[in-house]
Amino acid sequence: MTLTAPPNTVPETRPQREGVLVRPELRLSEDQIRLIDGVSRDLLMDPGLLCHNADVIELFRAAGATVEPVAGGARIRIPEAVLNAALASAPARLVLGAREESNRLVLDAHEPRVRFVSGSETNVWLDVNYDDGPHPTYRRLPGSIERLRQAGRLCDQLEHLDAFIRCVNIQDEGVTERNKDVNKFLASLDTIQKHVMAGLTSLEALDDVMRLGAIVAGGEGALVDNPVFSFITCVIKSPFQVVDDTADKLIAIARRRMPVVISSCPMGGATGPFDEFGMVAQINAELLAGVVITQLASPGAPVLYGAVPVRTRLDNLNDMYGAPEFVHYNIDCAQMARHYGLPCYSTAGVGDVDRPGIQATAEKLMTLLTVPRSGAQYIHYAFGLLERTNTFCPEQAVMDDAHIGICKRILRDAPVTPDRRDAVLATIREVMETDHKTFIYHLPLPSRENVYATYPLEDPDGALRAANRKYHEILTRPLAPLSDPIRNRIRDEIPGVLPQTLGG
């Protein structure tokens, strides 16, 4: 049964970031999609979900799911009627707002418009230094509020970065579980004018974060219309276990009608099957289970299908983002999201090695040139990540931005349209009437795209040195912080804000 709704025909007239519109690669046939869908539905019935969260258990019980007692909780079996009702209520299109309106993202499950985003909450900041000579030295530094602010300033200026997922774990003295959320959201919002996304550390902080968002957006109604931030939740621990505290957060976020990602990250060969069929069937079922929770809590709540399937490196059990199977898993998941009419949050651009170099470049480009062809609307992890998702390097983010710019040009659909037929004929015929028989005098007006002839970071000292120079140049550019009245309101009204979070 195909549950895809008809495309939303309401035109989007407000500004948004363009991204790149692709012609989706269809790795799975319709028969294969139906097969995976059927197996996922079977898995939601048997084995079903193991759950120890009383609110989730009650939501499913009230909806007509089978709830069987187990030690300390329940096994929940989700029938097709419950799943179908949730998929019918989940919106096919949602908006991720931004401080600067032109940076809004409209994610439409039926439009394969791809955006590239940062991601992870790394504990390590890789500092690249050239002070001692022509060769770089590296320092592994802990995450901090100041380094998160530097990441936000950098990402605000990266042309091809479309939204900001906090990429540094703040570990300053004074950061507690209770105030961490306010400080990481505020440090991001104060330094970047694009959409901000992060996980929620403490449910107790949600009211403060929502008040913060309302102040930044211009009021509670304005925040609903222009959600300047959104949330990520990993509510299902693979395989098929509901995470108790995350479930509480997900329910509360859904009831606030804030956009939320249902993220699942099974590791092929460890917490998920190694083979492609088994992996995609499992992660699809887990993501559908999360979507159902949001819709039972708040029908119509905006939700993203957040596929982060990886492969396990079997000699040390690390996750692998540069393996070919990773590409297969993610392309398949994007097709499944489109089948259900859900906007897709996908994954590409991670290097498994711990320093910039040829291995990182090869691994990143392999996924950046393949996964976006799926048409997933939101590609996270695409900037600056090394050592899987454990390290953020600002110079690597600069190089990734350059590479993604090239990838976007490769990914664009062919501009072969009937309206250009006469122009193509006229240009070629005109050149044939000249003595020189070349087209250089018949190019479009000069632009970066049609005069591009070199690698964007071409430099006699190498690309990493060029990226290092560009990163430090970006840090000298004027910051576009929140206005003084907004900053003052935040200091007065939001508890737990640390001085360094606003650059103090």
Side-chain angles (χ1 to χ4, degrees):
M1 176 181 177
T2 300
L3 293 167
T4 301
N8 192 322
T9 57
V10 178
E12 181 59 45
T13 57
R14 293 169 62 185
Q16 61 172 303
R17 291 186 68 84
E18 181 181 4
V20 57
L21 192 61
V22 305
R23 184 181 301 240
E25 177 179 332
L26 305 179
R27 179 171 173 79
L28 299 174
S29 68
E30 286 296 322
D31 287 343
Q32 289 172 319
I33 289 173
R34 284 191 288 270
L35 186 57
I36 291 171
D37 173 66
V39 171
S40 296
R41 290 168 182 270
D42 288 344
L43 290 171
L44 290 174
M45 284 295 291
D46 182 11
L49 304 176
L50 287 176
C51 181
H52 297 84
N53 183 285
D55 290 339
V56 171
I57 291 170
E58 186 52 40
L59 284 174
F60 276 105
R61 191 195 312 274
T66 301
V67 177
E68 302 169 356
V70 298
R75 183 180 298 276
I76 299 170
R77 304 186 188 276
I78 305 176
E80 290 206 14
V82 173
L83 174 58
N84 290 346
L87 289 171
S89 70
R93 187 171 76 173
L94 58 85
V95 172
L96 301 181
R99 280 176 51 200
E100 167 56 50
E101 187 181 34
S102 62
N103 286 324
R104 294 165 67 251
L105 305 180
V106 179
L107 307 184
D108 189 328
H110 306 290
E111 182 184 57
R113 186 176 298 279
V114 180
R115 274 60 171 250
F116 294 85
V117 186
S118 59
S120 194
E121 192 170 23
T122 62
N123 289 317
V124 177
W125 174 283
L126 187 65
D127 181 70
V128 180
N129 191 291
Y130 281 89
D131 289 347
D132 298 328
H135 302 295
T137 58
Y138 300 93
R139 290 188 303 160
R140 293 169 63 85
L141 304 174
S144 66
I145 290 172
E146 175 54 30
R147 294 188 180 109
L148 177 58
R149 287 180 59 84
Q150 288 182 26
R153 290 187 65 176
L154 170 65
C155 291
D156 196 45
Q157 298 291 323
L158 294 181
E159 177 183 0
H160 301 292
L161 184 142
D162 294 306
F164 184 66
I165 298 180
R166 50 82 189 100
C167 51
V168 179
N169 183 21
I170 58 174
Q171 303 169 64
D172 307 61
E173 184 177 352
V175 172
T176 67
E177 182 173 336
R178 182 65 178 80
N179 71 15
K180 182 176 183 179
D181 292 305
V182 161
N183 285 284
K184 72 185 178 187
F185 275 100
L186 178 54
S188 302
L189 288 166
D190 190 49
T191 53
I192 192 164
Q193 300 178 85
K194 302 172 185 177
H195 182 74
V196 169
M197 180 181 282
L200 186 69
T201 304
S202 169
L203 179 58
E204 293 180 354
L206 181 58
D207 285 343
D208 294 337
V209 172
M210 293 296 294
R211 283 198 297 272
L212 168 65
I215 292 171
V216 172
E220 292 183 6
L223 180 61
V224 172
D225 181 59
N226 180 36
V228 293
F229 58 70
S230 58
F231 296 94
I232 309 166
T233 58
C234 300
V235 70
I236 305 295
K237 175 184 176 182
S238 300
F240 295 103
Q241 302 160 81
V242 177
V243 181
D244 191 8
D245 63 331
T246 307
D248 288 334
K249 297 170 191 174
L250 177 60
I251 291 170
I253 291 166
R255 286 175 174 165
R256 301 297 186 101
R257 312 294 284 188
M258 292 297 290
V260 61
V261 177
I262 304 299
S263 177
S264 181
C265 187
M267 297 171 62
T271 57
F274 182 85
D275 72 284
E276 182 177 353
F277 184 1
M279 166 61 87
V280 178
Q282 176 180 313
I283 190 173
N284 183 61
E286 291 173 345
L287 293 171
L288 292 178
V291 170
V292 174
I293 294 172
T294 68
Q295 300 308 300
L296 293 180
S298 182
V303 61
L304 284 82
Y305 177 108
V308 195
V310 298
R311 249 220 49 195
T312 304
R313 179 169 168 165
L314 297 179
D315 59 345
N316 60 15
L317 298 185
N318 282 335
D319 44 355
M320 295 178 69
Y321 293 82
E325 293 86 356
F326 172 89
V327 174
H328 299 161
Y329 300 157
N330 279 277
I331 291 176
D332 292 353
C333 285
Q335 279 194 257
M336 297 309 299
R338 189 159 49 248
H339 171 75
Y340 300 116
L342 296 170
C344 184
Y345 162 110
S346 191
T347 310
V350 182
D352 290 338
V353 70
D354 64 358
R355 291 186 181 181
I358 188 61
Q359 180 180 338
T361 300
E363 290 171 341
K364 286 167 172 285
L365 284 177
M366 182 178 69
T367 59
L368 288 170
L369 282 169
T370 51
V371 173
R373 291 186 183 276
S374 68
Q377 288 77 21
Y378 196 86
I379 304 288
H380 87 312
Y381 283 177
F383 293 83
L385 293 185
L386 296 165
E387 197 179 7
R388 303 174 303 282
T389 59
N390 296 316
T391 295
F392 178 80
C393 174
E395 284 82 0
Q396 184 64 62
V398 171
M399 291 192 289
D400 291 340
D401 187 64
H403 299 158
I404 288 169
I406 298 171
C407 291
K408 283 183 175 181
R409 296 181 65 190
I410 294 171
L411 292 167
R412 288 177 187 159
D413 202 5
V416 180
T417 55
D419 62 298
R420 294 195 61 241
R421 179 183 183 278
D422 292 344
V424 168
L425 286 170
T427 300
I428 296 172
R429 288 167 178 165
E430 183 179 343
V431 169
M432 287 304 299
E433 292 298 320
T434 67
D435 295 333
H436 50 76
K437 302 293 191 295
T438 62
F439 288 81
I440 194 166
Y441 301 107
H442 300 265
L443 292 173
L445 290 174
S447 70
R448 183 171 57 188
E449 289 193 354
N450 61 43
V451 300
Y452 173 90
T454 61
Y455 178 67
L457 294 170
E458 190 172 272
D459 189 285
D461 296 323
L464 181 59
R465 184 67 173 109
N468 177 263
R469 289 192 180 103
K470 183 169 183 179
Y471 164 55
H472 287 285
E473 184 274 321
I474 285 173
L475 292 185
T476 68
R477 297 178 189 175
L479 180 66
L482 297 166
S483 69
D484 287 342
I486 288 177
R487 287 167 146 242
N488 291 336
R489 279 195 64 191
I490 289 169
R491 290 189 183 99
D492 292 342
E493 299 178 26
I494 306 299
V497 173
L498 298 173
Q500 63 267 41
T501 301
L502 287 171

